[in-house]
Amino acid sequence: MSNWIEIGYMHEIPRLGSRVIKAAQGNIAIFRNSNDEIFALGDKCPHKGGPLSEGTVSGRTVTCPLHNWRIQLDNGIAVTPDEGCTNTYPVKIEGNLIYLELNS
Ligand code: FES
């Protein structure tokens, strides 16, 4: 069963910034890029578990702060030549409110 939860307003996440939501699935990083697109990924790099929320957002990727792997924000897949994938979660914006979908 899908479960949309309200997680805050768009303006609460700075452009190129993130915030972390604690969920049953683990920490989820919510990113906002320079085009005001919002993405939700597990806050865990597929390499060695680095905190992606502390990485650098550029376009539709985030660079992990530990060893600089780049992870695609829309699908969680590491940019070649690195390999691996972190979970992604659906988000939607209504007005300025951000909703995250968590399966229950
Ligand atoms: S833990 Fe992210 S690049 Fe190594």
Coordinates of all heavy atoms in Angstrom, one line a residue:
M1 N 0.8 -1.2 0.0 CA 0.0 0.0 0.0 C 0.9 1.2 0.0 O 1.9 1.3 0.7 CB -0.8 -0.1 1.3 CG -1.9 1.0 1.4 SD -2.8 0.8 2.9 CE -2.6 2.4 3.6
S2 N 0.6 2.2 -0.9 CA 1.4 3.4 -0.9 C 1.1 4.3 0.2 O -0.1 4.4 0.6 CB 1.4 4.0 -2.3 OG 0.1 4.7 -2.4
N3 N 2.0 5.1 0.5 CA 1.8 6.0 1.7 C 2.6 7.3 1.5 O 3.8 7.3 1.7 CB 2.4 5.2 2.9 CG 2.3 5.9 4.2 OD1 1.5 6.8 4.3 ND2 3.2 5.6 5.2
W4 N 1.9 8.3 1.0 CA 2.5 9.6 0.8 C 2.6 10.4 2.1 O 1.6 10.6 2.8 CB 1.8 10.4 -0.2 CG 1.9 9.9 -1.6 CD1 1.0 9.1 -2.3 CD2 2.9 10.1 -2.5 NE1 1.4 8.8 -3.5 CE2 2.6 9.5 -3.7 CE3 4.1 10.9 -2.5 CZ2 3.4 9.5 -4.9 CZ3 4.9 10.9 -3.6 CH2 4.6 10.2 -4.8
I5 N 3.8 10.8 2.5 CA 3.9 11.6 3.7 C 4.5 13.0 3.3 O 5.3 13.1 2.5 CB 4.8 10.9 4.7 CG1 6.2 10.7 4.2 CG2 4.2 9.7 5.3 CD1 7.2 10.3 5.3
E6 N 3.9 14.0 4.0 CA 4.4 15.4 3.8 C 5.7 15.5 4.6 O 5.8 15.2 5.7 CB 3.3 16.3 4.4 CG 3.5 17.7 4.2 CD 2.4 18.5 5.0 OE1 1.2 18.2 4.8 OE2 2.7 19.3 5.8
I7 N 6.7 16.1 3.9 CA 8.0 16.2 4.5 C 8.5 17.6 4.6 O 9.7 17.8 5.1 CB 9.1 15.3 3.8 CG1 9.2 15.6 2.4 CG2 8.8 13.8 4.0 CD1 10.4 15.0 1.7
G8 N 7.7 18.6 4.2 CA 8.1 20.0 4.4 C 8.0 20.7 3.1 O 7.5 20.2 2.1
Y9 N 8.4 22.0 3.2 CA 8.3 22.9 2.1 C 9.6 23.0 1.3 O 10.7 22.8 1.8 CB 8.0 24.3 2.6 CG 6.6 24.5 3.2 CD1 6.4 24.3 4.6 CD2 5.5 24.7 2.4 CE1 5.2 24.5 5.1 CE2 4.3 24.9 2.9 CZ 4.1 24.7 4.3 OH 2.8 24.8 4.8
M10 N 9.4 23.2 0.0 CA 10.5 23.3 -1.0 C 11.5 24.3 -0.5 O 12.7 24.1 -0.5 CB 9.9 23.8 -2.3 CG 10.9 24.1 -3.3 SD 11.4 22.7 -4.2 CE 10.4 22.8 -5.7
H11 N 11.1 25.5 0.1 CA 12.1 26.5 0.4 C 12.9 26.1 1.7 O 13.9 26.8 2.0 CB 11.4 27.9 0.7 CG 10.4 27.8 1.9 ND1 9.1 27.8 1.7 CD2 10.7 27.9 3.2 CE1 8.5 27.8 2.9 NE2 9.5 27.8 3.8
E12 N 12.5 25.0 2.3 CA 13.2 24.6 3.5 C 14.5 23.8 3.1 O 15.4 23.6 3.9 CB 12.4 23.7 4.4 CG 11.3 24.5 5.1 CD 10.3 23.7 5.8 OE1 10.1 22.5 5.5 OE2 9.6 24.2 6.7
I13 N 14.6 23.4 1.8 CA 15.8 22.8 1.3 C 16.5 23.8 0.4 O 15.9 24.2 -0.6 CB 15.5 21.5 0.5 CG1 14.6 20.5 1.4 CG2 16.7 20.8 0.1 CD1 14.2 19.3 0.7
P14 N 17.7 24.2 0.8 CA 18.4 25.1 -0.1 C 18.7 24.5 -1.5 O 18.9 23.3 -1.6 CB 19.7 25.5 0.7 CG 19.8 24.4 1.7 CD 18.5 23.8 1.9
R15 N 18.8 25.3 -2.5 CA 19.2 24.8 -3.8 C 20.6 24.2 -3.7 O 21.4 24.7 -3.0 CB 19.3 26.0 -4.8 CG 18.0 26.4 -5.4 CD 18.1 27.0 -6.7 NE 16.8 27.3 -7.2 CZ 16.2 28.5 -7.4 NH1 16.9 29.5 -7.1 NH2 15.0 28.6 -7.8
L16 N 20.8 23.1 -4.3 CA 22.0 22.3 -4.2 C 22.2 21.7 -2.8 O 23.3 21.2 -2.5 CB 23.2 23.1 -4.7 CG 23.1 23.7 -6.1 CD1 24.4 24.4 -6.4 CD2 22.8 22.6 -7.1
G17 N 21.2 21.7 -2.0 CA 21.3 21.2 -0.6 C 20.5 20.0 -0.4 O 19.9 19.4 -1.4
S18 N 20.4 19.6 0.8 CA 19.6 18.3 1.1 C 19.1 18.4 2.5 O 19.5 19.3 3.3 CB 20.5 17.1 0.9 OG 21.4 17.1 1.9
R19 N 18.2 17.5 2.9 CA 17.9 17.3 4.2 C 17.7 15.8 4.4 O 17.4 15.1 3.4 CB 16.7 18.1 4.7 CG 15.4 17.7 4.0 CD 14.2 18.5 4.5 NE 13.9 18.2 5.9 CZ 12.8 18.6 6.5 NH1 11.9 19.3 5.8 NH2 12.6 18.2 7.7
V20 N 17.7 15.3 5.6 CA 17.6 13.9 5.9 C 16.3 13.6 6.6 O 16.0 14.2 7.6 CB 18.8 13.3 6.7 CG1 18.7 11.9 7.0 CG2 20.1 13.6 5.9
I21 N 15.6 12.6 6.1 CA 14.4 12.1 6.8 C 14.7 10.7 7.4 O 15.2 9.9 6.7 CB 13.2 11.9 5.7 CG1 13.0 13.2 4.9 CG2 12.0 11.4 6.3 CD1 12.4 14.3 5.7
K22 N 14.3 10.6 8.6 CA 14.5 9.2 9.2 C 13.2 8.4 9.0 O 12.1 8.9 9.3 CB 14.8 9.4 10.7 CG 16.1 10.1 11.0 CD 16.5 10.0 12.4 CE 17.8 10.8 12.7 NZ 18.9 10.3 12.0
A23 N 13.4 7.3 8.4 CA 12.2 6.4 8.1 C 12.5 5.0 8.5 O 13.7 4.6 8.8 CB 11.9 6.5 6.6
A24 N 11.5 4.2 8.5 CA 11.7 2.7 8.8 C 12.7 2.1 7.8 O 13.5 1.2 8.2 CB 10.4 2.0 8.7
Q25 N 12.8 2.7 6.6 CA 13.7 2.1 5.6 C 15.1 2.6 5.8 O 16.1 2.2 5.1 CB 13.3 2.6 4.2 CG 12.0 2.1 3.7 CD 10.7 2.8 4.2 OE1 10.8 3.6 5.2 NE2 9.6 2.5 3.6
G26 N 15.4 3.4 6.8 CA 16.7 4.0 7.1 C 16.6 5.5 6.7 O 15.6 6.0 6.4
N27 N 17.8 6.2 6.8 CA 17.8 7.6 6.5 C 17.6 7.8 5.0 O 18.2 7.1 4.2 CB 19.1 8.2 6.9 CG 19.2 8.4 8.4 OD1 18.3 8.1 9.1 ND2 20.4 8.8 8.9
I28 N 16.8 8.8 4.6 CA 16.5 9.1 3.2 C 16.9 10.5 3.0 O 16.6 11.4 3.8 CB 15.0 8.9 2.9 CG1 14.6 7.4 3.1 CG2 14.7 9.3 1.5 CD1 13.1 7.1 2.9
A29 N 17.8 10.7 2.0 CA 18.3 12.1 1.7 C 17.4 12.7 0.6 O 17.1 12.1 -0.4 CB 19.7 12.0 1.2
I30 N 16.9 13.9 0.9 CA 16.0 14.6 0.0 C 16.9 15.7 -0.6 O 17.4 16.6 0.1 CB 14.8 15.3 0.7 CG1 14.1 14.3 1.6 CG2 13.9 15.9 -0.3 CD1 13.5 13.1 0.9
F31 N 17.1 15.7 -1.9 CA 17.9 16.7 -2.6 C 17.1 17.7 -3.4 O 16.1 17.3 -4.0 CB 18.9 16.0 -3.5 CG 19.9 15.1 -2.9 CD1 19.6 13.7 -2.8 CD2 21.1 15.6 -2.4 CE1 20.5 12.9 -2.1 CE2 22.0 14.7 -1.7 CZ 21.7 13.4 -1.6
R32 N 17.6 18.9 -3.5 CA 17.1 19.9 -4.4 C 18.2 20.4 -5.3 O 19.3 20.8 -4.8 CB 16.5 21.1 -3.6 CG 16.0 22.2 -4.5 CD 15.4 23.3 -3.6 NE 15.1 24.5 -4.3 CZ 14.7 25.6 -3.8 NH1 14.6 25.7 -2.5 NH2 14.4 26.7 -4.5
N33 N 18.0 20.3 -6.6 CA 19.1 20.8 -7.5 C 18.8 22.2 -8.0 O 17.9 22.8 -7.5 CB 19.3 19.8 -8.7 CG 18.2 19.8 -9.7 OD1 17.3 20.6 -9.7 ND2 18.3 18.9 -10.7
S34 N 19.7 22.7 -8.9 CA 19.6 24.1 -9.3 C 18.3 24.4 -10.1 O 18.0 25.5 -10.3 CB 20.8 24.5 -10.0 OG 21.0 23.6 -11.2
N35 N 17.7 23.3 -10.6 CA 16.5 23.5 -11.4 C 15.2 23.3 -10.5 O 14.1 23.1 -11.0 CB 16.4 22.5 -12.6 CG 17.5 22.9 -13.6 OD1 17.8 24.1 -13.8 ND2 18.0 21.9 -14.2
D36 N 15.4 23.3 -9.2 CA 14.3 23.0 -8.3 C 13.7 21.7 -8.4 O 12.5 21.5 -8.1 CB 13.3 24.1 -8.3 CG 13.8 25.5 -7.8 OD1 14.8 25.4 -7.0 OD2 13.3 26.5 -8.2
E37 N 14.4 20.7 -9.0 CA 13.9 19.3 -9.0 C 14.3 18.7 -7.6 O 15.3 19.0 -7.0 CB 14.6 18.5 -10.1 CG 14.3 19.0 -11.5 CD 15.1 18.2 -12.5 OE1 16.3 18.3 -12.5 OE2 14.4 17.5 -13.3
I38 N 13.4 17.9 -7.1 CA 13.5 17.2 -5.8 C 13.7 15.7 -6.1 O 13.0 15.1 -6.9 CB 12.3 17.5 -4.9 CG1 12.1 19.0 -4.7 CG2 12.4 16.7 -3.6 CD1 13.1 19.6 -3.8
F39 N 14.6 15.1 -5.4 CA 14.9 13.7 -5.5 C 15.1 13.1 -4.1 O 15.5 13.8 -3.2 CB 16.2 13.5 -6.2 CG 16.3 14.1 -7.6 CD1 16.8 15.4 -7.8 CD2 15.8 13.4 -8.7 CE1 16.8 15.9 -9.0 CE2 15.8 14.0 -10.0 CZ 16.4 15.2 -10.1
A40 N 14.7 11.9 -3.9 CA 14.8 11.2 -2.6 C 15.6 9.9 -2.9 O 15.2 9.0 -3.7 CB 13.5 10.9 -2.0
L41 N 16.7 9.7 -2.1 CA 17.6 8.5 -2.2 C 17.9 8.1 -0.9 O 18.0 8.9 0.1 CB 18.9 8.9 -2.9 CG 19.0 9.0 -4.4 CD1 18.4 10.4 -4.9 CD2 20.4 9.0 -4.9
G42 N 18.2 6.8 -0.7 CA 18.7 6.3 0.5 C 20.0 7.0 0.8 O 20.8 7.3 -0.1
D43 N 20.2 7.5 2.0 CA 21.4 8.3 2.4 C 22.6 7.4 2.6 O 23.3 7.4 3.7 CB 21.1 9.1 3.6 CG 22.2 10.2 3.9 OD1 22.9 10.5 2.9 OD2 22.2 10.7 5.0
K44 N 22.9 6.6 1.6 CA 23.9 5.6 1.8 C 24.5 5.3 0.4 O 23.9 4.7 -0.5 CB 23.2 4.3 2.4 CG 24.2 3.4 3.0 CD 23.4 2.3 3.7 CE 24.3 1.3 4.3 NZ 23.7 0.2 4.9
C45 N 25.8 5.7 0.3 CA 26.5 5.5 -1.0 C 26.6 4.0 -1.3 O 26.9 3.2 -0.4 CB 27.9 6.1 -0.9 SG 28.8 5.9 -2.4
P46 N 26.4 3.6 -2.6 CA 26.5 2.1 -2.9 C 28.0 1.6 -2.8 O 28.2 0.4 -2.8 CB 26.0 2.0 -4.3 CG 26.1 3.4 -4.9 CD 25.9 4.4 -3.7
H47 N 28.9 2.5 -2.6 CA 30.3 2.1 -2.5 C 30.6 1.6 -1.1 O 30.5 0.4 -0.8 CB 31.3 3.3 -2.9 CG 32.7 2.9 -2.7 ND1 33.7 3.8 -2.3 CD2 33.4 1.8 -3.0 CE1 34.9 3.3 -2.3 NE2 34.7 2.0 -2.7
K48 N 30.7 2.5 -0.1 CA 31.0 2.0 1.3 C 30.1 2.7 2.3 O 30.4 2.9 3.4 CB 32.4 2.2 1.6 CG 33.4 1.3 0.8 CD 34.8 1.3 1.3 CE 35.6 0.3 0.6 NZ 37.0 0.4 1.0
G49 N 28.9 3.1 1.8 CA 27.9 3.6 2.7 C 28.0 5.1 3.1 O 27.4 5.5 4.1
G50 N 28.8 5.8 2.4 CA 29.0 7.3 2.7 C 27.7 8.0 2.7 O 26.7 7.6 2.0
P51 N 27.6 9.1 3.5 CA 26.3 9.9 3.6 C 26.2 10.8 2.4 O 26.7 11.9 2.3 CB 26.5 10.7 4.9 CG 28.0 10.9 5.0 CD 28.7 9.6 4.3
L52 N 25.4 10.4 1.4 CA 25.2 11.1 0.2 C 24.6 12.5 0.5 O 24.9 13.5 -0.3 CB 24.3 10.4 -0.7 CG 24.8 9.1 -1.3 CD1 23.8 8.3 -2.1 CD2 26.1 9.3 -2.0
S53 N 23.9 12.7 1.6 CA 23.3 14.0 1.9 C 24.4 15.0 2.2 O 24.1 16.2 2.1 CB 22.4 13.8 3.2 OG 23.2 13.4 4.3
E54 N 25.6 14.6 2.4 CA 26.7 15.5 2.7 C 27.5 15.7 1.4 O 28.6 16.3 1.4 CB 27.6 15.0 3.8 CG 26.8 15.0 5.1 CD 27.6 14.4 6.3 OE1 28.8 14.4 6.2 OE2 26.9 13.9 7.2
G55 N 27.0 15.2 0.3 CA 27.8 15.3 -0.9 C 27.4 16.6 -1.7 O 26.7 17.4 -1.2
T56 N 28.0 16.7 -2.9 CA 27.9 17.9 -3.7 C 26.9 17.6 -4.8 O 27.1 16.7 -5.6 CB 29.2 18.3 -4.2 OG1 30.1 18.5 -3.1 CG2 29.1 19.6 -5.0
V57 N 25.8 18.4 -4.9 CA 24.9 18.2 -6.0 C 25.3 19.0 -7.2 O 25.7 20.2 -7.1 CB 23.5 18.7 -5.5 CG1 22.5 18.6 -6.7 CG2 23.0 17.8 -4.3
S58 N 25.2 18.4 -8.4 CA 25.5 19.1 -9.6 C 24.6 18.5 -10.7 O 24.7 17.3 -10.9 CB 27.0 18.9 -10.0 OG 27.2 19.4 -11.3
G59 N 23.8 19.3 -11.3 CA 22.8 18.8 -12.3 C 21.9 17.7 -11.6 O 21.3 18.0 -10.6
R60 N 22.0 16.5 -12.2 CA 21.2 15.4 -11.7 C 22.1 14.4 -11.0 O 21.7 13.2 -11.1 CB 20.3 14.9 -12.8 CG 19.2 15.8 -13.2 CD 18.3 15.2 -14.2 NE 16.9 15.4 -13.9 CZ 15.9 14.6 -14.2 NH1 16.1 13.6 -14.9 NH2 14.7 15.0 -13.8
T61 N 23.2 14.8 -10.5 CA 24.0 13.8 -9.8 C 24.4 14.4 -8.4 O 24.4 15.6 -8.2 CB 25.3 13.5 -10.5 OG1 26.1 14.7 -10.6 CG2 25.1 12.9 -11.9
V62 N 24.8 13.5 -7.5 CA 25.4 14.0 -6.2 C 26.8 13.2 -6.1 O 26.9 12.0 -6.5 CB 24.5 13.7 -5.0 CG1 24.2 12.2 -4.9 CG2 25.2 14.2 -3.7
T63 N 27.8 13.9 -5.7 CA 29.1 13.3 -5.5 C 29.3 13.0 -4.1 O 29.2 13.8 -3.2 CB 30.2 14.3 -6.0 OG1 30.0 14.6 -7.4 CG2 31.6 13.7 -5.8
C64 N 29.6 11.7 -3.8 CA 29.7 11.2 -2.5 C 30.9 11.9 -1.8 O 32.0 12.1 -2.4 CB 30.0 9.7 -2.5 SG 30.2 9.0 -0.8
P65 N 30.8 12.3 -0.5 CA 31.8 13.1 0.1 C 33.0 12.2 0.5 O 34.1 12.7 0.8 CB 31.2 13.6 1.4 CG 30.1 12.7 1.7 CD 29.6 12.2 0.3
L66 N 32.9 10.9 0.5 CA 34.0 10.0 0.9 C 35.0 9.7 -0.2 O 36.2 9.9 0.0 CB 33.5 8.7 1.5 CG 32.6 8.9 2.8 CD1 32.5 7.5 3.5 CD2 33.3 9.9 3.8
H67 N 34.6 9.2 -1.3 CA 35.5 8.8 -2.3 C 35.1 9.3 -3.7 O 35.6 8.8 -4.7 CB 35.7 7.3 -2.4 CG 35.9 6.7 -1.0 ND1 34.8 6.1 -0.4 CD2 36.9 6.6 -0.2 CE1 35.2 5.6 0.8 NE2 36.5 5.9 1.0
N68 N 34.2 10.3 -3.7 CA 33.9 11.0 -5.0 C 33.2 10.2 -6.0 O 33.2 10.5 -7.2 CB 35.1 11.7 -5.6 CG 35.7 12.7 -4.7 OD1 34.9 13.4 -4.0 ND2 37.0 12.8 -4.6
W69 N 32.5 9.1 -5.7 CA 31.7 8.4 -6.6 C 30.5 9.4 -7.0 O 30.1 10.2 -6.1 CB 31.0 7.1 -6.1 CG 31.9 6.0 -6.1 CD1 33.3 5.9 -6.1 CD2 31.5 4.6 -6.2 NE1 33.7 4.6 -6.1 CE2 32.7 3.8 -6.2 CE3 30.2 4.0 -6.2 CZ2 32.6 2.4 -6.2 CZ3 30.2 2.6 -6.3 CH2 31.3 1.8 -6.3
R70 N 30.0 9.4 -8.2 CA 28.9 10.2 -8.6 C 27.7 9.3 -8.7 O 27.7 8.3 -9.4 CB 29.2 11.0 -9.9 CG 30.2 12.1 -9.6 CD 30.6 12.7 -11.0 NE 29.5 13.3 -11.6 CZ 29.3 13.2 -12.9 NH1 30.1 12.5 -13.7 NH2 28.3 13.8 -13.5
I71 N 26.6 9.7 -8.1 CA 25.4 8.9 -8.1 C 24.3 9.7 -8.7 O 24.1 10.9 -8.5 CB 24.9 8.6 -6.6 CG1 26.1 8.1 -5.8 CG2 23.7 7.7 -6.6 CD1 26.7 6.8 -6.3
Q72 N 23.6 9.1 -9.7 CA 22.5 9.7 -10.4 C 21.3 9.9 -9.4 O 20.8 9.0 -8.8 CB 22.1 8.9 -11.6 CG 23.2 8.8 -12.6 CD 22.9 7.9 -13.8 OE1 22.0 8.2 -14.5 NE2 23.5 6.7 -13.8
L73 N 20.8 11.2 -9.4 CA 19.7 11.5 -8.4 C 18.4 10.8 -8.9 O 17.6 10.5 -8.0 CB 19.6 13.0 -8.3 CG 20.7 13.7 -7.6 CD1 20.6 15.2 -7.8 CD2 20.8 13.3 -6.1
D74 N 18.2 10.6 -10.2 CA 16.9 10.2 -10.6 C 16.7 8.6 -10.5 O 15.6 8.1 -10.3 CB 16.5 10.6 -12.0 CG 17.6 10.3 -13.0 OD1 18.7 9.8 -12.6 OD2 17.4 10.5 -14.2
N75 N 17.8 7.9 -10.5 CA 17.7 6.4 -10.4 C 18.6 5.8 -9.4 O 18.5 4.6 -9.2 CB 17.9 5.8 -11.8 CG 19.2 6.1 -12.4 OD1 20.1 6.5 -11.7 ND2 19.3 5.9 -13.7
G76 N 19.4 6.6 -8.7 CA 20.3 6.0 -7.7 C 21.5 5.2 -8.2 O 22.2 4.7 -7.4
I77 N 21.7 5.2 -9.5 CA 22.8 4.4 -10.1 C 24.1 5.2 -10.1 O 24.1 6.3 -10.5 CB 22.4 3.9 -11.5 CG1 21.1 3.0 -11.3 CG2 23.5 3.1 -12.1 CD1 20.5 2.5 -12.7
A78 N 25.2 4.5 -9.8 CA 26.5 5.1 -9.8 C 26.8 5.4 -11.3 O 26.6 4.6 -12.2 CB 27.5 4.2 -9.2
V79 N 27.5 6.5 -11.5 CA 27.9 6.9 -12.9 C 29.1 6.0 -13.2 O 30.1 5.9 -12.4 CB 28.3 8.4 -12.9 CG1 28.9 8.8 -14.3 CG2 27.1 9.3 -12.6
T80 N 29.1 5.5 -14.4 CA 30.2 4.7 -14.9 C 31.6 5.4 -14.8 O 31.5 6.6 -15.0 CB 30.0 4.3 -16.4 OG1 28.7 3.8 -16.5 CG2 30.9 3.3 -17.0
P81 N 32.7 4.8 -14.4 CA 32.9 3.4 -14.4 C 32.5 2.7 -13.1 O 32.8 1.5 -12.9 CB 34.4 3.3 -14.6 CG 34.9 4.6 -13.9 CD 33.9 5.6 -14.2
D82 N 32.0 3.5 -12.1 CA 31.7 2.9 -10.8 C 30.3 2.1 -11.0 O 29.6 2.4 -11.9 CB 31.6 4.0 -9.8 CG 32.9 4.7 -9.6 OD1 33.9 3.9 -9.5 OD2 32.9 5.9 -9.5
E83 N 30.1 1.2 -10.1 CA 28.9 0.3 -10.3 C 28.3 0.2 -8.9 O 28.9 0.0 -7.9 CB 29.4 -1.1 -10.7 CG 29.9 -1.1 -12.1 CD 30.2 -2.5 -12.6 OE1 30.2 -3.4 -11.7 OE2 30.6 -2.7 -13.8
G84 N 26.9 0.2 -9.0 CA 26.2 0.1 -7.7 C 25.0 1.0 -7.8 O 24.8 1.8 -8.7
C85 N 24.1 0.8 -6.8 CA 22.8 1.5 -6.9 C 22.3 1.7 -5.4 O 22.4 0.8 -4.6 CB 21.8 0.7 -7.7 SG 20.3 1.5 -7.9
T86 N 21.8 2.9 -5.2 CA 21.1 3.1 -3.9 C 19.6 3.2 -4.2 O 19.2 3.5 -5.3 CB 21.7 4.3 -3.2 OG1 21.2 4.3 -1.8 CG2 21.3 5.6 -3.8
N87 N 18.8 3.0 -3.2 CA 17.4 3.1 -3.3 C 16.9 4.5 -3.7 O 17.5 5.4 -3.2 CB 16.6 2.6 -2.1 CG 16.8 1.2 -1.8 OD1 17.0 0.4 -2.7 ND2 16.7 0.8 -0.5
T88 N 15.9 4.6 -4.5 CA 15.3 5.9 -4.7 C 13.8 5.8 -4.3 O 13.2 4.7 -4.2 CB 15.3 6.3 -6.2 OG1 14.7 5.3 -7.0 CG2 16.8 6.4 -6.7
Y89 N 13.2 6.9 -4.0 CA 11.8 7.0 -3.6 C 11.1 8.0 -4.4 O 11.6 9.1 -4.6 CB 11.8 7.3 -2.1 CG 12.5 6.3 -1.2 CD1 13.9 6.4 -1.0 CD2 11.9 5.2 -0.7 CE1 14.6 5.5 -0.2 CE2 12.5 4.2 0.0 CZ 13.9 4.4 0.2 OH 14.6 3.4 1.0
P90 N 9.8 7.8 -4.7 CA 9.0 8.8 -5.4 C 8.8 10.0 -4.6 O 8.5 9.9 -3.4 CB 7.7 8.1 -5.7 CG 8.0 6.6 -5.5 CD 9.1 6.5 -4.5
V91 N 8.8 11.2 -5.2 CA 8.5 12.4 -4.5 C 7.5 13.2 -5.4 O 7.5 13.0 -6.6 CB 9.7 13.3 -4.2 CG1 10.6 12.8 -3.2 CG2 10.5 13.6 -5.5
K92 N 6.7 14.0 -4.8 CA 5.8 14.9 -5.6 C 5.7 16.2 -4.9 O 5.9 16.3 -3.7 CB 4.4 14.2 -5.8 CG 3.6 14.1 -4.6 CD 2.2 13.5 -4.9 CE 1.4 13.3 -3.6 NZ 0.0 12.7 -3.9
I93 N 5.4 17.2 -5.7 CA 5.3 18.6 -5.1 C 3.9 19.0 -5.3 O 3.4 19.0 -6.5 CB 6.3 19.6 -5.8 CG1 7.6 18.9 -6.0 CG2 6.3 20.9 -5.1 CD1 8.7 19.3 -5.1
E94 N 3.2 19.5 -4.3 CA 1.9 20.1 -4.5 C 2.0 21.5 -3.8 O 2.2 21.6 -2.6 CB 0.8 19.2 -3.8 CG 0.6 17.9 -4.6 CD -0.5 17.0 -4.1 OE1 -1.1 17.4 -3.0 OE2 -0.7 16.0 -4.7
G95 N 1.8 22.5 -4.6 CA 2.0 23.8 -4.1 C 3.5 23.9 -3.8 O 4.3 23.6 -4.7
N96 N 3.9 24.2 -2.6 CA 5.3 24.2 -2.2 C 5.6 23.1 -1.3 O 6.7 23.0 -0.8 CB 5.7 25.6 -1.5 CG 6.0 26.6 -2.6 OD1 6.6 26.3 -3.6 ND2 5.6 27.8 -2.3
L97 N 4.6 22.2 -1.1 CA 4.9 21.1 -0.2 C 5.5 19.9 -0.9 O 5.0 19.6 -2.0 CB 3.5 20.7 0.5 CG 3.2 21.4 1.8 CD1 1.8 21.1 2.2 CD2 4.2 21.1 2.9
I98 N 6.4 19.3 -0.2 CA 7.0 18.1 -0.8 C 6.4 16.8 -0.1 O 6.3 16.8 1.1 CB 8.5 18.1 -0.6 CG1 9.1 19.4 -1.1 CG2 9.2 16.9 -1.2 CD1 10.6 19.6 -0.7
Y99 N 6.1 15.9 -0.9 CA 5.6 14.6 -0.4 C 6.5 13.5 -0.8 O 7.0 13.5 -1.9 CB 4.2 14.3 -0.9 CG 3.1 15.2 -0.4 CD1 2.9 16.5 -1.0 CD2 2.3 14.9 0.7 CE1 2.0 17.3 -0.6 CE2 1.4 15.8 1.2 CZ 1.2 17.0 0.5 OH 0.3 17.9 1.0
L100 N 6.7 12.5 0.1 CA 7.6 11.4 -0.2 C 6.7 10.1 -0.1 O 5.9 10.0 0.8 CB 8.7 11.4 0.9 CG 9.6 10.2 1.0 CD1 10.5 10.1 -0.2 CD2 10.5 10.3 2.2
E101 N 6.9 9.2 -1.0 CA 6.1 8.0 -1.0 C 6.9 6.9 -0.4 O 8.0 6.5 -0.9 CB 5.6 7.6 -2.4 CG 4.7 6.4 -2.3 CD 4.2 5.9 -3.6 OE1 5.0 5.9 -4.6 OE2 3.1 5.5 -3.7
L102 N 6.4 6.3 0.7 CA 7.1 5.2 1.3 C 6.1 4.0 1.3 O 4.9 4.2 1.6 CB 7.4 5.5 2.8 CG 8.4 6.6 3.0 CD1 8.6 6.9 4.5 CD2 9.7 6.2 2.4
N103 N 6.6 2.9 0.9 CA 5.7 1.7 0.9 C 5.6 1.2 2.3 O 6.5 1.1 3.0 CB 6.2 0.6 0.0 CG 6.1 1.0 -1.5 OD1 5.2 1.7 -1.9 ND2 7.2 0.7 -2.3
S104 N 4.3 0.9 2.7 CA 4.2 0.4 4.1 C 3.9 -1.1 4.0 O 3.7 -1.7 3.0 CB 3.0 1.1 4.7 OG 1.8 1.0 4.0
Ligands
FES1 S1 31.5 5.6 0.2 FE1 30.8 6.9 -1.4 S2 32.4 6.9 -2.8 FE2 33.1 5.6 -1.2

